[in-house]
Amino acid sequence: MVRVVLDLHRHVLLRHLELGVPRDPAAERRLWDDLTQFYLHYMPFVPAQVVSPGVPSGPPTP
């Protein structure tokens, strides 16, 4: 259940984390792999500039 919710709303979660939405599936996979290492294994995380044109990178407005 949690996996489905994260999959459906993953771009919203990325915007709330102020990371932006990746440009392509490969970049998104790398981003999620890096986030997994950061949250599960306390590895350093340095976000790349991955915002797609036309996609807001800030938190969504209500």
Side-chain angles (χ1 to χ4, degrees):
M1 183 83 130
V2 171
R3 188 173 188 177
V4 171
V5 170
L6 285 176
D7 190 42
L8 289 174
H9 301 287
R10 67 188 188 275
H11 292 163
V12 174
L13 177 59
L14 290 174
R15 285 193 295 272
H16 279 287
L17 292 172
E18 298 181 3
L19 294 174
V21 178
R23 295 180 179 151
D24 57 66
E28 184 173 359
R29 180 76 256 165
R30 284 190 304 274
L31 176 61
W32 285 112
D33 287 343
D34 290 346
L35 285 170
T36 299
Q37 293 298 316
F38 175 75
Y39 284 110
L40 294 181
H41 305 291
Y42 306 106
M43 303 284 294
F45 177 72
V46 179
Q49 185 67 7
V50 294
V51 177
S52 297
V55 177
S57 61
T61 55

